[in-house]
Every structure is written in C-alpha cells, then in structure tokens.
Amino acid sequence: MQPKQLWSLLLSRILPKLLGLPGILLKKFRKEGVMELDAAALPELPQDVLMDIFGTLEVPDLIRAGSVCSSWHATYKCLLDLRQYKQPQTPCLFYTCESAGSNVGFLYSLKENRSYKLTLPEPPIRSRLLIGSSNGWLITADERSELHLVNPITGEQVALPSVITIEHVKPIFDASGTIRMYELSYQTPPDLFDLGDLRDELYFKAFVFPDPSTTGSYIVVLIHEPYSRLSFARPGDDKWTWVGQGSQYKDCTYVDGLLYTVNYSGEIDAFDFTASPVKMTVIMKELKYPVCENMYIIQAPWGDLLHVWRTIDVPPNAPPWVPGKCMVETLKIQVHKVDLEAKQRVEINRLQCDSVLFLGHNDSLCLSTQVHPELKSNHAYFTDDFKELTVLLKNCMRDMGVMDLENSVKKEIVSQIWSNWPCPTWITPNLMKLNQAFNR
C-alpha cells in the first residue's frame, strides 16, 4: 500500500473512530465510559507514516492515538523523544474546582468545548499562587513562597532557584536554624513577611522562554518587587540573576534572543541576555500619560511587535458592590503596532491574518485563526491578571471573557466552572520535557 493510500485509510476510517472515543485512555485524561478499540483489527502502518500523521494532531488527540496499541504508543514516544512534535496548539483554560480536590486541575479546551481532569504533583495546586503560564508550563509559588514549574499534562515538576536568592530577599532564621520569616529590604525599615505571605507581595508575573543559544534549553524570567523589576535563571543556576535596570514592568516576550518588555508608563525596552552584564536598550519612550491598567507586548504571526492596552475599571452605571462580585472589569482593549524604525505606535483596529489575542497571566499570544479556525478572529480572550484583585480579593468573581476588538462587545468563555482562586489562566499544552533542571 502506498503512503498516500495509508493516509487516506487512516484519515477516512481509523481517525474518525479514534477521535470519537468518549473517553481518553491515558490516566491523566480519564473519563467514565471508555470504549475498547480492537487494536488487532488496525492495519500495520509504517512508523514514519504514523509519525507524520501524529505530528498533525493536537495534544488530546495525540495522547488518544498513543494509547490505542503498542505500536502506536511506540510511535508516540518516538515522536516526543526525537522532539519532532511541533504541532501548533490551541490554548486551553487552566482552572481548579474546590469540589474536585486540592491536587486536581482542569483544562477547558476551546477547540472541543469540554474539560479534561488532571491530577497534579504535590504540593496541592489549590494551595499555590499562579504567577505565569508559558510554553505549556505553569509557574507557581507554594506556601513557603518557593517557585516551581509544573507541566499539567505530563505531571513533570521542576524546582526553581530558592526565593532567598532573589535580590532584596533575606531569610530570618530561628534558634534551630530554620527559616522563620523573610525580609524584603527595598525600603527603610525592611518589611517582614511570614513564609506564605511573601509571595503575594513579591511576585507579579513569570515566563518560560526557549533559549535559542542552546537546543532544548530555556530561560525563566521573573517580574517581581521591588518596583516590578526583572530577574532570570537558566538551567543549572542555583540563584536568580537580578537585572537591576528598568522598572514597573507589566509584560515581556522573547524574540530572536532579545527580551522585549513594556512597563506601566508604556516604555518598551529590549534586553540582550547574551551580553554580560545584560544590556538594556530603550526601544520606545514612555507615554505622556498612563492610559490603562495593564499593558502587554506580543510578537504577531506576521512579525510585528504589538503593544496592547487593556483598560480595567468600574463600568458605567455599575450596581452597588456585592460581596464576592468583581467590581471592576475589562472595558476596552486597544492594539498598537510598534514601528521600530519610526519609533511610533500605530493603532490598528483589525489584526492581520484573522488573528486573535490571549491575555492574562499567560505569555501574551497572538495566533492566526487560519491555524486555529475554532477561535474568533479579531477577538481577545482574556483572564483576570489585575494583581490587586487576583491576590488580595481571592474569592471575587473573575474578570474573564472574549472581547470583539472592533466594538468592545464581550461574551463569556463558558458558564463558570472554575474556582475563583487560584485565578484561572490560559495555557498552551506542551508534551516536551525540559532537558535540564535548576540547582537548589
């Protein structure tokens, strides 16, 4: 049988059966009512052909395929081990639910309009603060304010360098030599925090970026107090490296070896992490007046840098405050193209390539609906990332939805299925393992 015929057979006869399974055969993607598939009735397909086909599937379907029979599972493993699985993924909403247990998380698939239940490693996910989501990894702070990367799909967990190695953080020991409190010393006198309270004050947002200087490696970037500055760490590091330049950062993105950042005033900076010390260049000067509460910097599929403004406020004619109900919400999202040559921001009303935005504690994304046709073009999918609400008001309803960028009309993503804390966030599923860990 020719490869073309095998493709046709798989696509017309096997995949419809496979993808139509009501249950997922991998333990992490479990659901009652799993049907049995007769593996013996499936034709033996060459592994290279199967790898080509598997490489076109998104993560849930790929995991289903890898669970059908031993030969398909071997192909699935080979695809991942060789790092040949690079299929673009549709972001999912990661959330928890109190009734499901403290170690359970969920992924709500926008593509399939359904949720997947995941059991996550200790410490319990519901005891952690979520401060970021990048390339399939959650960045979490535990009850001692220590940071961990967690891949909710694979269950892999990586401990990041200790919080006491962050600039301005010092441990306070008791008589037995156990850390009792933390000192945050960016003002006089220094502030003292209990182990679980420092995370609420210290962390704003974190990112996991592929490191182009080393194949399979990565770099973790942290926006933190004092003054929302930057620190970073690479695999093998036993401490955080403080950048010490710039301040009041809201978001960043890594493009061709440069870290682009945007701060509260709209200033856009570029950091060269290959230089020693790190070199900072101001790309766009700050705006005359702060124009919104949150800002984002995003690389678009067509290559431009986008500067996104998100206005969060109490809506006009809002009813009186009700306990548990969010008083502020996203009112407007504006998108500007960053013209690096002219040093100007140019407002655009419609995204090219029928694109869509994902905003929140995730790495800010601009995706093409030509690649992800199930998404709404020229819309922004957003979750709550306004620190004053997500941290201080943990039980308030979250500011989440889908906004039409042309007319600012909003719709809900789905009827509320999540707990309000940890705050739900977007995550792009990723099955790849990290090559190296950090030192503690």
Side-chain angles (χ1 to χ4, degrees):
M1 187 177 291
Q2 296 299 315
K4 185 175 181 180
Q5 293 173 301
L6 292 171
W7 272 90
S8 177
L9 175 65
L10 192 64
L11 292 174
S12 65
R13 291 175 50 191
I14 299 174
L15 281 184
K17 293 180 181 179
L18 176 64
L19 304 186
L21 290 176
I24 300 176
L25 304 178
L26 190 72
K27 182 182 293 185
K28 285 185 172 297
F29 285 81
R30 58 188 182 272
K31 185 180 177 70
E32 293 183 2
V34 177
M35 289 173 51
E36 295 293 333
L37 189 65
D38 185 4
L42 298 176
E44 286 294 331
L45 301 176
Q47 189 177 74
D48 59 339
V49 175
L50 277 177
M51 288 181 66
D52 286 343
I53 297 173
F54 284 11
T56 68
L57 304 177
E58 289 206 29
V59 164
D61 294 337
L62 178 63
I63 293 176
R64 291 188 184 104
S67 302
V68 168
C69 61
S70 59
S71 64
W72 285 30
H73 182 71
T75 300
Y76 161 82
K77 287 285 293 178
C78 185
L79 185 69
L80 298 185
D81 292 344
L82 294 176
R83 295 184 173 268
Q84 293 182 5
Y85 180 65
K86 299 178 180 180
Q87 173 66 16
Q89 301 292 311
T90 304
C92 296
L93 183 69
F94 177 84
Y95 66 96
T96 65
C97 181
E98 186 175 2
S99 62
S102 59
N103 283 85
V104 173
F106 293 87
L107 290 184
Y108 178 78
S109 168
L110 294 174
K111 184 176 182 179
E112 301 179 69
N113 294 319
R114 60 174 292 185
S115 291
Y116 295 107
K117 185 178 180 180
L118 309 169
T119 300
L120 303 179
E122 294 284 349
I125 189 64
R126 285 185 52 79
S127 70
R128 307 194 202 192
L129 174 67
L130 298 183
I131 63 169
S133 164
S134 294
N135 290 287
W137 293 84
L138 300 171
I139 304 97
T140 70
D142 65 19
E143 291 181 300
R144 296 179 62 85
S145 298
E146 297 287 5
L147 294 172
H148 304 266
L149 303 180
V150 181
N151 187 324
I153 304 293
T154 65
E156 185 181 2
Q157 180 165 254
V158 177
L160 295 174
S162 177
V163 62
I164 63 175
T165 68
I166 295 176
E167 192 78 14
H168 301 100
V169 176
K170 295 181 179 179
I172 305 296
F173 297 94
D174 62 18
S176 66
T178 301
I179 297 178
R180 181 173 59 88
M181 301 187 76
Y182 296 120
E183 177 184 280
L184 187 57
S185 56
Y186 64 96
Q187 58 186 20
T188 304
D191 290 328
L192 295 179
F193 293 91
D194 289 334
L195 301 186
D197 292 339
L198 178 66
R199 61 184 180 177
D200 293 346
E201 174 70 20
L202 181 63
Y203 301 126
F204 175 66
K205 195 172 183 180
F207 310 81
V208 182
F209 296 121
D211 187 350
S213 64
T214 307
T215 302
S217 190
Y218 54 97
I219 183 171
V220 179
V221 177
L222 182 64
I223 301 177
H224 63 89
E225 297 302 324
Y227 313 122
S228 297
R229 289 181 170 170
L230 302 174
S231 290
F232 68 94
R234 292 187 174 95
D237 289 353
D238 59 4
K239 65 178 182 179
W240 291 93
T241 298
W242 187 48
V243 174
Q245 303 176 70
S247 64
Q248 304 301 330
Y249 290 116
K250 289 288 190 178
D251 197 25
C252 59
T253 189
Y254 205 52
V255 182
D256 298 329
L258 291 177
L259 183 79
Y260 291 93
T261 61
V262 61
N263 71 7
Y264 174 79
S265 299
E267 178 179 301
I268 299 174
D269 302 326
F271 291 86
D272 183 357
F273 280 6
T274 65
S276 183
V278 173
K279 181 182 178 182
M280 171 185 160
T281 304
V282 177
I283 301 297
M284 299 283 289
K285 293 183 178 180
E286 65 183 28
L287 299 164
K288 291 184 178 180
Y289 307 101
V291 293
C292 63
E293 286 65 40
N294 270 358
M295 293 193 177
Y296 310 87
I297 189 78
I298 308 172
Q299 185 184 28
W302 56 91
D304 286 336
L305 277 178
L306 302 179
H307 183 190
V308 179
W309 305 353
R310 178 175 171 182
T311 301
I312 304 171
D313 207 343
V314 177
N317 304 316
W321 183 75
V322 177
K325 183 174 176 60
C326 184
M327 287 298 296
V328 299
E329 60 185 64
T330 299
L331 302 182
K332 189 175 183 180
I333 295 173
Q334 299 167 272
V335 183
H336 298 77
K337 170 188 170 182
V338 179
D339 188 331
L340 296 176
E341 292 186 1
K343 304 290 185 182
Q344 293 180 343
R345 301 170 182 84
V346 180
E347 185 171 4
I348 55 179
N349 295 321
R350 186 159 196 90
L351 298 172
Q352 295 181 35
C353 301
D354 293 325
S355 293
V356 58
L357 302 179
F358 281 86
L359 308 176
H361 265 313
N362 54 289
D363 52 342
S364 306
L365 300 172
C366 181
L367 305 176
S368 170
T369 56
Q370 296 170 13
V371 179
H372 305 278
E374 64 281 353
L375 302 177
K376 298 178 182 293
S377 63
N378 208 49
H379 281 65
Y381 292 73
F382 62 91
T383 57
D384 213 341
D385 62 354
F386 193 44
K387 183 174 181 179
E388 287 76 2
L389 295 179
T390 59
V391 173
L392 299 181
L393 300 177
K394 296 180 180 179
N395 294 318
C396 275
M397 293 183 66
R398 294 301 166 209
D399 175 31
M400 299 169 57
V402 185
M403 176 176 284
D404 189 324
L405 296 175
E406 198 164 345
N407 54 29
S408 298
V409 172
K410 291 183 294 184
K411 294 182 180 179
E412 65 178 14
I413 301 165
V414 63
S415 297
Q416 182 163 343
I417 52 178
W418 53 80
S419 296
N420 291 320
W421 200 90
C423 186
T425 189
W426 299 112
I427 187 168
T428 306
N430 190 341
L431 293 171
M432 296 301 178
K433 292 183 175 293
L434 299 180
N435 274 352
Q436 301 166 290
F438 296 82
N439 295 322
R440 269 286 178 91

